[in-house]
Amino acid sequence: MSIFVTEEWKEMAEFMPEEYQQVFNKVKKATDVMVDAEPEVAPTPKEVIWTKNKAKLYRYISDKPVEHKVPILMIYALINKPYILDLTKGGSFVEYLVNRGFDVYLIDWGTPGYEDKNMKLDDYILDYIPRAVKKVLRTSGADEVSLFGYCMGGTMTGIFASLHPELPIRNIVFMTSPFDFENTGLYGEMLDEKHFDVDKVADTLGLVPPEMIDFGNKLVKPMSNFYGPYVSLVDRAENSSFVKSWKLLQKWLNDGIPFPGEAYRQWIRDFYQKNKLIKGELVIRGQKVDLSNIKANVLNLSGQNDIIAQPHQVEALMDVISSKDKQYIDLPVGHTSITFGSKATKITYPTVGDWLEERSN
């Protein structure tokens, strides 16, 4: 019995018209789903091969031999947990790449504490990512590495690659990673410096809570984001496949992590308010970021339905990098469905896998 459906309600339902009973049963099943135990996530076997502060570098383990000599380092955003890339067996980007014979690594930034409130993007980009890359090269015995950046993690990857043209980076896959923040829709309106004081937010909170970021994201399409998932659950509660995916995705969406205040201040001011990166004005620890320093092979993916990193924000990278082998593809997906769900497994996974396979031997 659901905690939301009492015995009294159950008895009353027996006297309802049939169509009302059907609705009642759907609501009951949906509420049962919401109070079920959380699903297991991150099923692909892995080991920790390096740590720094809260961050861990994972290497994924497989019984299959590595078939491609260039390893892949996956880099995700600071504000969500990276297991979206390894959500469930049969629906895991990591699992797919491992099964195709790639040597796969991933940086898990961990959950920052209040003592990390002064962490800047500079620290992650110049202290963490370079050491992770060097550890991947040493562990794999490879001469070159492929980088895979998703969302904000891709933006950070682009900055890192720009500042380290001397490192042996053969391939970079950017996935829904924004580079041009000139026209960001409602995000730009909400974060406009005329009425959004990022200094007051960062100085007051120290760590920006995940609930605040999640609320801001949902405000872009409030009806769809606040109520849509639950309407869909009531409508499809009898579909076990849908329910499994719904529970997995809701677990991840509600499992956010705080944003260190100084990094948040930079992300909002330098990117959303000043659009410094694409203009060539961004400075990271005294070094100006020049995206034209990127010469690696590049696959740049956007989602046609993505409202967080809109296609034009993603595609802008193509005009500034120096790569001779570069490809931009706008896939028929959204910001999350590019990496989880039926479209991801049928479209995104093979698109990335095929592209990397041709350039990893």
Side-chain angles (χ1 to χ4, degrees):
M1 174 68 66
S2 166
I3 62 170
F4 300 108
V5 181
T6 63
E7 282 292 339
E8 290 78 9
W9 275 103
K10 187 178 179 182
E11 292 174 2
M12 289 174 59
E14 295 177 358
F15 299 98
M16 293 178 182
E18 184 178 350
E19 61 268 28
Y20 285 18
Q21 289 187 32
Q22 291 174 353
V23 173
F24 175 86
N25 289 331
K26 285 185 176 182
V27 171
K28 179 183 178 300
K29 288 181 179 179
T31 56
D32 287 341
V33 169
M34 288 189 282
V35 298
D36 276 350
E38 291 190 341
E40 295 293 324
V41 295
T44 308
K46 59 185 180 291
E47 59 181 345
V48 177
I49 62 169
W50 173 83
T51 62
K52 179 174 172 60
N53 192 12
K54 311 298 193 306
K56 297 176 182 177
L57 176 62
Y58 298 125
R59 184 186 195 183
Y60 289 91
I61 303 167
S62 174
D63 294 332
K64 294 184 61 177
V66 173
E67 298 176 11
H68 310 296
K69 68 180 184 181
V70 182
I72 304 169
L73 173 60
M74 307 182 91
I75 300 169
Y76 188 48
L78 297 176
I79 54 176
N80 289 102
K81 294 187 178 178
Y83 63 73
I84 186 63
L85 292 164
D86 183 31
L87 201 52
T88 188
K89 194 168 182 61
S92 162
F93 212 154
V94 167
E95 178 191 49
Y96 175 84
L97 292 171
V98 168
N99 286 342
R100 284 196 62 160
F102 289 99
D103 191 9
V104 181
Y105 302 75
L106 179 143
I107 297 178
D108 182 342
W109 298 114
T111 302
Y114 192 73
E115 67 277 9
D116 301 306
K117 66 178 182 176
N118 294 321
M119 290 282 290
K120 301 179 71 174
L121 294 177
D122 309 40
D123 303 313
Y124 294 105
I125 292 167
L126 293 179
D127 295 337
Y128 286 69
I129 299 179
R131 296 185 189 184
V133 167
K134 291 172 183 175
K135 183 64 175 180
V136 168
L137 290 169
R138 286 197 302 271
T139 303
S140 65
D143 298 323
E144 296 176 291
V145 66
S146 293
L147 302 179
F148 176 101
Y150 180 18
C151 185
M152 178 190 185
T155 312
M156 294 167 64
T157 298
I159 296 169
F160 160 74
S162 301
L163 295 174
H164 290 280
E166 80 285 355
L167 289 179
I169 303 170
R170 183 188 288 193
N171 308 304
I172 309 178
V173 177
F174 296 104
M175 195 167 78
T176 64
S177 300
F179 290 91
D180 185 352
F181 294 77
E182 183 66 33
N183 177 14
T184 57
L186 285 177
Y187 284 108
E189 297 296 326
M190 290 190 290
L191 299 172
D192 192 304
E193 58 188 324
K194 290 183 292 187
H195 48 251
F196 185 82
D197 189 340
V198 67
D199 290 327
K200 185 172 290 186
V201 173
D203 293 340
T204 301
L205 297 175
L207 285 181
V208 179
E211 293 82 5
M212 175 177 166
I213 296 166
D214 181 57
F215 188 78
N217 285 335
K218 287 178 177 175
L219 280 178
V220 177
K221 293 184 71 174
M223 293 301 292
S224 297
N225 291 326
F226 283 108
Y227 303 109
Y230 302 100
V231 172
S232 296
L233 178 62
V234 169
D235 190 49
R236 303 176 66 182
E238 295 181 355
N239 184 327
S240 59
S241 177
F242 172 83
V243 167
K244 178 184 176 183
S245 295
W246 190 93
K247 290 173 65 177
L248 286 162
L249 200 53
Q250 290 303 309
K251 173 180 171 59
W252 176 76
L253 288 169
N254 294 316
D255 200 13
I257 57 177
F259 203 151
E262 286 303 319
Y264 177 81
R265 191 195 313 268
Q266 286 177 286
W267 184 243
I268 301 303
R269 171 167 292 145
D270 289 353
F271 295 81
Y272 280 94
Q273 294 181 345
K274 301 294 186 182
N275 197 21
K276 290 183 177 181
L277 177 58
I278 203 70
K279 294 178 180 178
E281 299 171 359
L282 182 67
V283 175
I284 296 291
R285 199 178 288 166
Q287 301 180 65
K288 185 168 282 190
V289 178
D290 184 355
L291 291 170
S292 69
N293 286 335
I294 296 178
K295 298 179 175 64
N297 306 322
V298 165
L299 175 64
N300 191 17
L301 304 176
S302 63
Q304 294 173 11
N305 306 316
D306 192 344
I307 60 173
I308 294 176
Q310 298 175 62
H312 70 270
Q313 295 182 260
V314 176
E315 186 179 11
L317 176 71
M318 307 305 287
D319 294 330
V320 294
I321 58 177
S322 300
S323 308
K324 294 180 180 178
D325 180 352
K326 58 183 180 179
Q327 184 176 6
Y328 167 72
I329 307 176
D330 189 25
L331 300 176
V333 295
H335 192 74
T336 303
S337 59
I338 198 169
T339 192
F340 175 70
S342 59
K343 288 185 178 179
T345 56
K346 293 175 183 176
I347 301 172
T348 311
Y349 295 5
T351 297
V352 174
D354 293 347
W355 187 88
L356 280 173
E357 192 171 80
E358 291 178 13
R359 295 161 178 84
S360 297
N361 293 315

